[in-house]
Amino acid sequence: KIYRWIETMDITNESKYFLTSLVWLATQHKSPFPFSYALKAVPMGFLYLHYLDVSKNTAPEREQLFVLGACAFSAGGDIFLELDIFILGLASFLIAHVAYVLAFTLTADLDLTSHHRQGSIAFITTYATIFCAIMVPKLGALKVPVMFYLLAIISMVIGATMQPLVASSGSSWWTSVIGAYSFVLSDSTIAFDKFHTKLPQNLRNAFVMITYYVGQYFIVRGLAEN
C-alpha cells in the first residue's frame, strides 16, 4: 500500500527513488515477508525514470539501453539475494556492472595524465589486491564466479574513473566515482560477511543497503549528467 501511495504522489522520480529506498531500509529487519523480494526491487525502477528525467531523453539510445539493463539486472539481483539465491544474485549484479561499464565507455576520456584518475586507479588496484588476499582462501567452490565478479566491479570503478573531469552539466567527475566506490563498499561488506566473518546483521544490512542505494544513485546521476 505504501508503494502504491508513493507511485501516485505528485513528486519527482528522484524523490520516489529515495522514498522507496527509505521504506525498504525501515522494513528490511522484518524480511522475509510476503513479496518482500518484489518491494526490494522497486527503487531501481524509479532510478531509471530519474535517469530519463535528468538526461531529458537526449542520451544516446545505446546508453539508455545500457542503463536500463543495469537497473533491471540490479533489481533482479535484489530479488535473488532477498530469496537467498546467492549465485543468481551474483550473476545478475555481474551483468549490471558490465552494463554500467558499457555505458561508461560511451563518454570515457582516456587521458591518464590526471592525478585524480591515477590516484583512483592506484587505489582500486591496491584495494582489490588486498581484498583478494584476504578473501580468496575463504571462497571455496565459488572462487571462480566471485573472481569474475570482482573483475567486473573493478572495471566499473575504472569506467567511472575515466569519465570527464567536468560533465557537460557542470557537475564534477566525483559524481560517478563516489557512486562506484559506494557500490564497492556495499559488495565488499556482503562478501566479507558471507565468506569471512559474520557481522552484526542489523548493522550489516543497513550499511549494505545505504551504500548500495547511494552508489546506484550517483552512478546513474553521473551518466545522466554526462
Side-chain angles (χ1 to χ4, degrees):
K1 290 181 179 179
I2 293 175
Y3 281 88
R4 287 200 297 269
W5 174 64
I6 291 173
E7 169 63 26
T8 61
M9 293 174 68
D10 185 21
I11 56 176
T12 64
N13 288 309
E14 179 182 35
S15 297
K16 290 177 181 179
Y17 172 72
F18 285 115
L19 277 175
T20 52
S21 300
L22 287 172
V23 169
W24 179 255
L25 287 170
T27 59
Q28 67 173 336
H29 67 282
K30 297 181 179 180
S31 70
F33 49 82
F35 302 108
S36 60
Y37 58 89
L39 298 180
K40 187 178 182 182
V42 166
M44 294 311 302
F46 288 123
L47 184 60
Y48 181 69
L49 293 176
H50 172 58
Y51 162 79
L52 295 178
D53 292 340
V54 174
S55 64
K56 296 179 171 51
N57 292 309
T58 59
E61 184 177 342
R62 283 188 299 166
E63 182 182 289
Q64 292 184 37
L65 289 174
F66 291 147
V67 175
L68 174 60
C71 290
F73 278 98
S74 292
D78 288 332
I79 291 170
F80 287 128
L81 291 183
E82 178 64 13
L83 293 174
D84 202 25
I85 310 175
F86 180 79
I87 193 65
L88 291 182
L90 188 74
S92 293
F93 278 115
L94 187 150
I95 296 171
H97 286 310
V98 171
Y100 278 137
V101 170
L102 293 172
F104 281 136
T105 61
L106 299 177
T107 51
D109 176 358
L110 301 182
D111 179 10
L112 289 173
T113 60
S114 162
H115 294 311
H116 288 77
R117 293 197 179 107
Q118 292 172 2
S120 179
I121 291 172
F123 181 84
I124 193 59
T125 302
T126 303
Y127 178 87
T129 301
I130 295 171
F131 194 75
C132 279
I134 295 170
M135 296 302 299
V136 166
K138 304 286 187 178
L139 296 176
L142 290 176
K143 184 180 297 183
V144 172
V146 171
M147 287 298 100
F148 272 110
Y149 186 86
L150 181 62
L151 179 61
I153 198 168
I154 291 171
S155 299
M156 188 271 290
V157 172
I158 292 174
T161 297
M162 302 310 295
Q163 294 306 286
L165 292 175
V166 178
S168 58
S169 67
S171 296
S172 77
W173 166 87
W174 289 98
T175 307
S176 297
V177 172
I178 289 171
Y181 277 104
S182 292
F183 214 139
V184 169
L185 277 176
S186 179
D187 284 350
S188 298
T189 304
I190 291 174
F192 190 82
D193 176 76
K194 184 172 181 64
F195 298 110
H196 195 282
T197 303
K198 284 294 179 186
L199 303 171
Q201 287 305 288
N202 286 340
L203 289 176
R204 174 262 190 200
N205 291 341
F207 182 80
V208 164
M209 295 311 298
I210 289 171
T211 50
Y212 170 70
Y213 287 136
V214 169
Q216 291 278 21
Y217 174 78
F218 278 105
I219 289 170
V220 170
R221 180 85 188 193
L223 285 165
E225 290 172 345
N226 281 329

